[in-house]
Every structure is written in C-alpha cells, then in structure tokens.
Amino acid sequence: MRIPELWLCLSFGCAACSGSSCLSAQFRRPGDFMLGGLFPFGKDAVNLSTRSEPTLLLCERLFTDGLIWALGMRFAIDQINNSSSLLPGITLGYDMYDTCFEALGALQPSLLFLTRRGTTGIDVLCNYTEYQPRVTAVIGPHKSDLCLVTAKLFSSFLIPQVSYGASSETLSNTELYPSFYRTVPGDKNLAEAVVLLLNQYGWNWVATVGSDDEYGRGAQALFLSVVGSDNICIAFEGLIPTDLAEPSARKQMEDTVRLINSTKVNVIVLFALSLSAQALLEHSIRMGLGKKVWIGTEAWMLSESTASIPNIQSIGTVLGFVMRTGTVPGFQEYVAELLSSAEQDEFCRHSRELSRLVNAEVLDTHCPQCDHVTLGDIWPVLRMTTVQPVHVAVYSVAHALHRALGCTLKGCPKTPISSWQLLHFMNSLPFDVNGQSFRFDQSHGTNTGYRLIFWAWRDGTLTYLPVGDYDQSLYVRKSQIQFHTVDRKEPTSECFRRCQPGQFRRIKGFNLCCYDCTDCPENTFWSSTDSTSCSPCPQHQWAPARSTQCQDRSERFLFWAEPLAVALLTLMALSTALSCLTALLFLKHLRTPLVQAAGGARSLLALLCLVLLSLSCCLYVGKPDDGLCTVQQLSYALGLNGCFATFVPKALEITLVTEFPRCAPGLLRWVTRGRAWLLVAASLLAQGLLCLCHLRLGADYLVADYKTLPSEVLLVCGTKSWVAFALLHGFNSCLAFGCFLCTFMVQTPGRRYNVARGITFATLIYFVVWIFFVVIFATLRTVLRAVTQICTILATTLGILGSYFMPKCYIIVFRPDLNTGDYFQNPTEEEPEEDSV
C-alpha cells in the first residue's frame, strides 16, 4: 500500500502543500528515534467567527494553540536531546503534521507514520514483531474525534500514541485501544467533579447542553449516567451544532435557548467546544435568557473569543473546571528566542539545509501561517495555553525508551527497539518531569485533577480566579465566589413546575423533586395534582390517555344495522330463497326420475334442513345471551345432520350396487324406499343424544371480555368444553366422511347421470370449510367470531346447494329432455353384473 504523495488539505481550507519557510521547516528533524506529531496548525474557514477581530484572535484555538503545542513538543525533544541522563548518546527526531481538525487530515500522516522506516510503503505481514515503522511513537492529536480514528490504526501496530487533549471516555477501553495513552484526565473524572459541585450547592434541577461531537456527546452522556444516582434532576438535555455554517444551526440554537428558558432552571452545565459554546452564549444574550449559573469546562472557559462576546457579563455566573497543570520552566523564553531567531538569515539558511536532509517527497509540513507569526501575536495566548500535557507526553515516551534500551549515565546502547516493546514500560513505572511524578493508570490516563475557576469581573476586566480543587474530592472556597444574585449568594435551582391534568409525576432517583410529567396511559385516570401514579379504572369502565375520569364501557357485538351484518343477512336471505325455490321445484317434479334418483321425499327434508340452517344465522346477530349461545351450536349441528342423514341411504345404496353386487339384492331393501327413513331417523336421534350430552358437559355461555377492546366490553359466546364441542360436530363429520368414502370412486357410464358425484363434492366442500372454521374459531375472541360462524353456515349451505341440488335444478328447468328413466336409472333397477368365469 502506497501513501499518496499529495496531501489534499486544500480541500479543507487548510495550509498550502508546497514550498518551505524558516520556521515551518523546523517541524521536521531526523534522529535515532522518530516521534510523530499531530497538531492543529491550519484554520478551517468554515468555523471562523464573523466578528471583526483580528484573525489570530478569531482562530486562537485553531492555529495559535496548535503552534504552541508543536513548539512544546520541540522544546521537550530539545531538552531530552541535550540531557546527559535520560537518553545519553541518543537523539530524538520528529515529524509534525497539520490535522486541519479533520479526520482525513489526521489519517494521511498517520498512514505515513506506519510506513516501514526508510520507505513510503506499508508492508502486509502476518507477524509485525520485527517491523520497524517510520516513527517509534506518536504525540497527538488533540481532539477526541480524531483520536478515535487514529487510535485504532496505531493500536493495530501497537505503536504508542500519547494524546495531550483527548478526554473521551471511549478511549479508556484498553482492549480496543491498547496502545493509546493520554496526559489529561478522562471525561468521567470531569463529570464526577461537576456532580460534586452541584451537590455542594444543592442544585438538583439543572439543564445540560453539549456540542454535537465526540467530546460533547461523550461528556454529557457520562454526566447523565453519574447524576442518575445523585438525586439530581435533568430539566433539559440537548445538543448544539458544531458546524455553524449549516442553515439549520441558527434555528437549533434558538430552539435550545427557548427550551432552557421554559424549564425555569437556574443552572446550566455546558460541555462544548469554544465556537459552539460562543454561539450558544451569543444567542442566549440576544434572546434575553436571563442570568444563570453556567458550569463549563476548559474547552470554552479559557477562550478569549468567548470572553470577548459583547455584554457577556449579562449571562450570570460562570464556574468551571480546568485541568490542574503546572508550568514548563523555560518554555516562554524558548519560544521568544525561537521567534526572534526566525527573523535572522542564518536561522533561515540552517532551516533550509535541515529541510533538504529530510525525505520531502511525502506529505509536506509547510505551514503558511507560521511564516508571519511574531512574538507579539503569540505572547497573549502563550501565557494561557497549557503546554504541560504535550511536554509530559514526550517525556513519557523518552522514559519508556530509557528503560527499554537499558540506558545508564554513561550512555544508551544503540540497539533497535520495536514500538510494541515500549508499551510494557509505559504501563509499569512512574516517571518524573520537572520534579513532578506521573504514571499512567489502568485506563492509560493521567488524572492530575482539576481546578475550579470563577469568572471574576473587576472594572470590566475578566480574571480567571481559582476558587477550588478537585482530586477524588472537591474543595470549594465559597467566600471567593460572588454570584449574580442581589445578595451575591448562591441561587436555588429546584423543580417547581406543575404537571397538567391527566399527567402524573414519574419520580427519577430518590428525590421527590426529580420527576417527569408523564401522561396517564389508557384505562387509568389522574386523581390528584401531586399524584405519583395513575389510578386504574374499574373493570366496567375505561379512559383514554391523559384522562381525569373514567367512562362506562359500551357493549360490542355484531349489530343488526352495521354493514357487515347487513351483507351477511343479505347472503343468508339469498341462501334461504335458493333452498326454498329448489324445494318447490323438487316438490313439483317429485315423481320424475331425477328427483327420485336424488332421494325423492328425502331431498325435500334435506332442503328443509338447509332452510333452517340458513335461518340459524340470525342467532349470531344482535346482543347475545346464555340462551342464544346454547342454541347456536345445537341448531347448526341438528340442521346439518338432517341434510347429511338424507345422503347416507343414497351413498350406501350406490356402494352396495357398485362395490358389492352379489350382496346388493339382500341388503338394498334396508337402504331404499320406506326403510331408508329409518336411517334418517336414527341419525337424527343419535345427533339429538349428542346435543343432550353437549348440554350436560358444558353448553356455550355468554362471556363479557373487558381486555380485548380498549373502550368496549366484548360480548361473545365462549366454549366451555371443547370435548363436548368435538362430540357435537364430530358425528356430522363422520357422516360426511362415510358418504365421501362411499361415493368418491364410483364410476357411471357416460349415458347415465352420476348421482354419487354430487354427494362427493358436497361432503368435500364441507370438510374444506370446516378446516378453516376450526382454526379461526379457536383463536378469535372478537365480533369476527360470530362472523366466522355465519360465514361457515352460509358457505356450507351454498356449497351443498351448488354441488348437489343446483345441477339437478338446471336439468329440470333447462334440460327436461334428460329427465328420463334411462338417464336417471335407479341403481336398484340395474341388473347385477355376473361374476366372470
């Protein structure tokens, strides 16, 4: 894999990528061990303020700080190279690159750092134990967002990376980022410090706002997780944009200010970077938010551009935590001497000679802003910018090298050391820097603690006054803090909002003031103003969401007037009319061969049963009661049995003639003529006994269902005993199955009408309908259960009419020429076939 030789930082509005200068050429220097540096030299034009201050003031965090941090790294390396005890005989070199505050700007030089020493390519190997990358360790970058991108890359090669500003708690995961270190405390420590400050003053009703980036989201999430167990209520939590050039950024800021104002909180915790915090404060002043207590962090509290906002004093009281760091002796003098030397020709000549010794075909380190920086430009910010984290980061790598090489006062052996070999020494032992001891903890961070800073205004001049310290515990010098209140004492910030009618207080934590106003759910009602829960409605009543009282439930069943019932009743009328017309037609032609072949008078009984079966659909419409529920299943079973009972003699007659011709003459008299009525009567009697059994075991009964429907009580017939249900309807199924077995294989010569086929299809339709009916009926508990039963009755009735009776009606009406003895010869009149010899 080759590293692109063109650094596309122009697309981000960053430094140009060609040429060299006196000062920027010094951002490269060869040595026995190379350190990679990632610093924000370039300034992103999109993020610049629109106010009329000089450019260096507007982008102090985007350029001036980055330059100071880079000079801090160089100062530490110069000190180490000039030391006779830390790495005697060993020189440290460095390669510094501009991240442009962009992931791509940090990723490109990171790939360069991973190339094999002396080349511009990265080897793809199975074992990187002996792999020697271009740099031994990396210092930076400053932002958490960029570190999340680069840390996985360097951790894959186990190259130590020490950040001087990334505080995201995500980076504390040593399993994901085993080679990442930082010389600043993590956001978890900051969140704990803020919570302790809130508890000191009893502020338990606060708003929290974060910038929409890794730092703001991560710090806010940690803060919210900590306050959950500390009796602190969050009145509002929100994010503000980091890209202020977006069209929606202004509206989002204004909405945030309005929402904060609506909560009536007096304390706002702000986790944001400088430009986002500055924009929020400007909108707060413009929209007249009022004086609050703002609790901030180093990310925006020490910014000159934030402090120079017009009328900034009107926002109220500003308190916040900054890292507790020491000074770096000699650094200011070093920078002053360096900037003075950069103006001399000799320094420029030496810088160009040094630049020619470095491989220049890869990413250039030219920084155009650095060409025009004077000591007067950088001096105001130099006293405020914290350089110690960068200084300590370089020394941590130097001490690890000292131990890995086994250096003594006499010198260090010049043996090759792989980057991964430094990790053990960085984890294990403390190291001293300017008389102060440091060590990386289990999450690879250095918790140096925080100072509590108060914005003190004296004669219009801002002073950053230290008023407390945090190191596992918080100490506050309250007498030095003058709040914005009339009596200069701390304001209160407690929950005093009132829930609306229909809402109850959902307590958060253990403090009664910490609650959300939550709508009462359905079937509950709000009883009092200070209620912490909603009361359930009685079973016979219901209530919509956010209700103050319950209402009586209406009854739900299949009404006569609703469209679905009207459609089903219309279909019932059609089925009844067809059955009656067929019966009249059969009665008129009772003595014809067709009707006699179909069963004669027994067919009239079957049609009468179908009429009664159709009319039984009315039992399922209207308000049910126990009596109707009992009659429903009995009427269906008896009506269907009367129809199938008339099919049984005909099916047995056909079977005897076609399948048992030798036995037919002796048995046919039991299934034909008058004796066939005995079979019909026996079937009806057996079904009647089963109906009595059904009543004995458990008839259907009325069920008032209060759970299925939210606002109505469902009146439906419930099945008490499925065994009784199976016995009641099982007999009809047995009759239908017997008829089907007797007729489905019967063949009739082409010149004769196949009476058996009508019985076959009638029983087959019955089984298909019942398969669907049983599945649906067993699962439904709504008005559709009654609809299912009606549809089953009508489908069965119309199926029998259509398959058995309608073809015969067609012949009677439209083909009377076929209604002859030859075409409808009764099986009993046929000559039994002789057995072949």
Side-chain angles (χ1 to χ4, degrees), residues 243-525:
D243 188 355
L244 303 180
E246 289 186 359
S248 61
R250 180 184 179 89
K251 183 180 184 302
Q252 191 172 347
M253 289 284 187
E254 293 175 349
D255 291 343
T256 300
V257 174
R258 276 193 290 268
L259 289 170
I260 292 175
N261 190 45
S262 66
T263 61
K264 307 299 182 182
V265 296
N266 289 326
V267 178
I268 303 170
V269 181
L270 179 57
F271 299 102
L273 298 180
S274 176
L275 290 176
S276 298
Q278 177 183 334
L280 179 64
L281 294 174
E282 288 176 345
H283 281 83
S284 300
I285 295 170
R286 181 176 59 83
M287 298 175 65
L289 179 61
K291 292 186 177 183
K292 309 286 183 182
V293 176
W294 294 80
I295 299 178
T297 64
E298 187 175 5
W300 64 269
M301 280 195 59
L302 302 182
S303 170
E304 284 292 328
S305 58
T306 303
S308 60
I309 296 175
N311 201 24
I312 186 62
Q313 291 175 267
S314 65
I315 66 172
T317 304
V318 178
L319 291 168
F321 293 93
V322 299
M323 288 183 296
R324 188 168 57 195
T325 58
T327 59
V328 179
F331 177 66
Q332 293 186 5
E333 293 79 3
Y334 174 82
V335 174
E337 181 182 354
L338 181 63
L339 291 177
S340 299
S341 301
E343 299 175 358
Q344 301 175 9
D345 293 338
E346 179 63 22
F347 181 88
C348 293
R349 184 186 61 78
H350 178 69
S351 295
R352 294 190 182 98
E353 291 177 357
L354 191 62
S355 180
R356 283 194 292 270
L357 298 177
V358 182
N359 186 5
E361 78 271 8
V362 292
L363 303 178
D364 204 330
T365 57
H366 181 64
C367 173
Q369 295 92 335
C370 303
D371 297 347
H372 310 290
V373 176
T374 65
L375 185 60
D377 294 326
I378 205 173
W379 189 257
V381 185
L382 181 62
R383 292 176 296 174
M384 295 174 50
T385 304
T386 303
V387 183
Q388 189 187 46
V390 180
H391 198 71
V392 173
V394 177
Y395 267 90
S396 67
V397 177
H399 279 280
L401 275 172
H402 175 90
R403 292 161 188 156
L405 291 170
C407 297
T408 63
L409 294 176
K410 296 180 180 180
C412 297
K414 293 193 175 183
T415 57
I417 292 292
S418 298
S419 298
W420 59 268
Q421 294 176 290
L422 299 181
L423 299 180
H424 169 72
F425 299 100
M426 296 187 71
N427 293 336
S428 57
L429 298 175
F431 55 93
D432 294 333
V433 180
N434 296 326
Q436 186 176 356
S437 180
F438 297 89
R439 81 175 301 162
F440 294 109
D441 56 25
Q442 292 182 347
S443 60
H444 292 181
T446 57
N447 186 11
T448 57
Y450 294 94
R451 282 196 176 91
L452 180 63
I453 300 297
F454 168 63
W455 274 16
W457 295 92
R458 296 172 181 172
D459 300 327
T461 303
L462 175 61
T463 302
Y464 302 104
L465 181 64
V467 292
D469 293 279
Y470 170 77
D471 188 2
Q472 306 301 325
S473 60
L474 178 64
Y475 170 72
V476 182
R477 295 182 286 276
K478 294 184 177 181
S479 60
Q480 297 183 5
I481 303 176
Q482 296 183 350
F483 288 94
H484 59 270
T485 55
V486 177
D487 56 2
R488 299 296 184 181
K489 294 183 179 180
E490 67 270 14
T492 60
S493 189
E494 297 176 347
C495 174
F496 56 87
R497 59 179 177 165
R498 296 289 181 267
C499 291
Q500 298 298 318
Q503 294 181 322
F504 71 97
R505 293 183 177 184
R506 185 183 295 277
I507 304 299
K508 299 170 67 175
F510 301 98
N511 196 305
L512 293 179
C513 82
C514 304
Y515 62 83
D516 287 332
C517 288
T518 306
D519 292 348
C520 287
E522 288 186 351
N523 292 324
T524 62
F525 69 100

Side-chain angles (χ1 to χ4, degrees), residues 584-637:
L584 291 175
L585 190 62
F586 269 48
L587 180 62
K588 183 178 179 181
H589 299 85
L590 183 62
R591 298 301 177 183
T592 62
L594 183 152
V595 177
Q596 291 299 315
R602 294 193 302 274
S603 297
L604 297 178
L605 176 62
L607 289 169
L608 177 61
C609 290
L610 291 180
V611 170
L612 296 176
L613 194 61
S614 297
L615 293 175
S616 70
C617 292
C618 296
L619 299 174
Y620 299 91
V621 184
K623 184 177 180 179
D625 54 35
D626 289 329
L628 282 177
C629 291
T630 301
V631 174
Q632 284 175 357
Q633 298 299 327
L634 299 181
S635 62
Y636 177 59

Side-chain angles (χ1 to χ4, degrees), residues 636 640 762-777 788-800:
Y636 177 59
L640 193 60
T763 55
L764 186 62
I765 290 172
Y766 164 78
F767 283 120
V768 171
V769 171
W770 257 80
I771 289 173
F772 288 99
F773 166 71
V774 171
V775 173
I776 299 173
F777 183 77
T788 303
Q789 290 177 291
I790 295 175
C791 291
T792 302
I793 294 172
L794 294 178
T796 304
T797 304
L798 292 173
I800 295 173

Side-chain angles (χ1 to χ4, degrees), residues 637-658:
L638 285 172
L640 193 60
N641 182 265
C643 181
F644 284 158
T646 63
F647 291 167
V648 171
K650 180 58 66 176
L652 292 175
E653 180 183 348
I654 293 171
T655 303
L656 288 173
V657 172
T658 58

Side-chain angles (χ1 to χ4, degrees), residues 33-112:
F33 292 95
M34 295 292 293
L35 299 184
L38 297 172
F39 299 96
F41 301 131
K43 53 182 180 292
D44 188 346
V46 175
N47 287 331
L48 292 181
S49 174
T50 57
R51 303 204 320 274
S52 59
E53 285 83 354
T55 301
L56 281 175
L57 179 60
L58 292 176
C59 61
E60 56 170 307
R61 290 298 183 193
L62 303 179
F63 166 61
T64 315
D65 279 355
L67 178 60
I68 293 174
W69 288 324
L71 294 176
M73 176 176 172
R74 181 186 161 179
F75 174 61
I77 291 176
D78 286 346
Q79 278 188 327
I80 294 168
N81 288 339
N82 294 329
S83 171
S84 59
S85 59
L86 188 53
L87 292 174
I90 298 293
T91 59
L92 294 180
Y94 53 82
D95 253 348
M96 298 186 193
Y97 289 94
D98 187 357
T99 65
C100 301
F101 281 96
E102 292 287 346
L104 183 60
L107 189 60
Q108 288 181 316
S110 298
L111 291 172
L112 178 63

Side-chain angles (χ1 to χ4, degrees), residues 679-751:
L679 290 177
V680 176
S683 176
L684 287 171
L685 179 61
Q687 186 65 56
L689 293 175
L690 289 174
C691 289
L692 292 176
C693 183
H694 179 266
L695 293 174
R696 184 71 175 176
L697 290 177
D700 290 1
Y701 63 102
L702 179 64
V703 175
D705 185 359
Y706 294 94
K707 297 180 179 179
T708 303
L709 302 177
S711 61
E712 299 169 309
V713 53
L714 176 63
L715 300 180
V716 64
C717 292
T719 303
K720 186 175 182 179
S721 173
W722 286 102
V723 174
F725 182 89
L727 289 174
L728 183 67
H729 296 287
F731 183 66
N732 284 334
S733 299
C734 292
L735 290 181
F737 188 65
C739 293
F740 178 79
L741 289 179
C742 291
T743 59
F744 84 103
M745 290 292 290
V746 173
Q747 298 293 329
T748 302
R751 69 181 186 277

